[in-house]
Amino acid sequence: MGQQQPQCVITDQCPGIKKACPNVFNHSVHKYCMWHIMQKMPEKVGRAICNDTEFMTDINAVVWDVDLEPHEFEQNRKMLLKPMRSESSNSYFKRFESHFGTLVEFWMRYNSAIEQQRHTQRRMDNANEHSMLEKVGPMKVEMHASLVYTHPIFGDFHNEVKHAICGMGSGGLTKSRAVEYHDVRDGEAQSFRVEFNTKTN
């Protein structure tokens, strides 16, 4: 990078990297990768609520909106947390709990709820193993996604990639030794000059 520090370093939430970044890149801003954060959603908030398409649509609308100002993001985040807290406990356990039951009854109902979650997860895993994956494109990110996503989720991802590529237009290509310069248009919005080194990829 021309002996210059990057303005921003984006990594996963590795404690070692978090500690090393300020020492190595003392003029750079260290940010966490949004993709990795979203991958941890099911273990943080539970699979039941992550299977709620309305909730996921709402949270994606907040998380991936690059036009939100920090204070707007915080407002939306707080509003989402309120329904999430009530929904995650209420919606799932409502049909299993009784306000007048004993502790033993509660424990039995709780175990039933957990077992049903496990059964649903096993059923989804089984359906994923025995379904056909749609055609994987040549890009490395798609190949990686096909290994880590379930088939339905990969289908959604694949469609997003197709839309992103279709929305981009190429204005031309020039070459200089091992470097290619691509003029890329993002729909009608902006134009970018992308530099690609064919030796180092």
Side-chain angles (χ1 to χ4, degrees):
M1 299 185 64
Q3 304 303 311
Q4 299 295 315
Q5 290 193 20
Q7 291 182 7
C8 182
V9 179
I10 302 174
T11 70
D12 65 4
Q13 294 163 300
C14 168
I17 293 176
K18 182 182 177 182
K19 194 173 178 182
C21 264
N23 296 330
V24 179
F25 300 118
N26 55 347
H27 298 301
S28 304
V29 177
H30 181 208
K31 303 255 182 195
Y32 289 139
C33 171
M34 203 62 234
W35 186 84
H36 283 99
I37 291 170
M38 293 303 282
Q39 287 297 299
K40 292 183 177 181
M41 275 261 303
E43 68 183 71
K44 299 293 182 187
V45 303
R47 289 198 177 275
I49 198 165
C50 285
N51 289 334
D52 181 342
T53 52
E54 188 178 339
F55 168 76
M56 290 307 294
T57 300
D58 289 345
I59 199 162
N60 281 324
V62 173
V63 167
W64 298 109
D65 188 344
V66 295
D67 296 322
L68 283 181
E69 293 293 328
H71 72 277
E72 294 174 309
F73 173 82
E74 280 301 316
Q75 285 173 350
N76 291 340
R77 183 184 70 85
K78 285 173 183 172
M79 281 170 34
L80 266 173
L81 280 175
K82 282 181 184 174
M84 187 180 83
R85 286 191 185 116
S86 58
E87 285 300 314
S88 61
S89 58
N90 292 344
S91 66
Y92 192 75
F93 290 106
K94 198 175 281 178
R95 55 204 157 143
F96 296 99
E97 68 180 339
S98 166
H99 294 290
F100 306 105
T102 64
L103 183 59
V104 173
E105 286 174 325
F106 169 78
W107 183 248
M108 289 171 65
R109 289 171 188 271
Y110 175 81
N111 278 338
S112 294
I114 296 299
E115 189 50 46
Q116 184 170 332
Q117 272 189 328
R118 289 181 180 143
H119 172 73
T120 303
Q121 185 62 45
R122 285 192 296 266
R123 185 167 44 79
M124 289 168 62
D125 289 343
N126 184 56
N128 191 57
E129 285 178 25
H130 295 93
S131 64
M132 292 294 290
L133 187 65
E134 66 176 281
K135 187 178 177 185
V136 180
M139 292 190 295
K140 287 183 180 178
V141 69
E142 279 195 279
M143 292 176 188
H144 174 70
S146 71
L147 299 175
V148 296
Y149 286 152
T150 62
H151 294 181
I153 297 298
F154 175 77
D156 294 342
F157 172 80
H158 182 69
N159 288 336
E160 289 295 325
V161 170
K162 278 198 297 191
H163 288 306
I165 291 172
C166 290
M168 293 170 62
S170 178
L173 162 67
T174 54
K175 291 185 178 181
S176 172
R177 295 189 187 158
V179 179
E180 294 178 356
Y181 299 94
H182 298 263
D183 293 320
V184 179
R185 191 177 61 257
D186 178 14
E188 299 297 319
Q190 290 177 288
S191 294
F192 302 93
R193 170 150 277 207
V194 180
E195 193 175 297
F196 175 62
N197 188 318
T198 57
K199 284 187 175 177
T200 61
N201 285 328

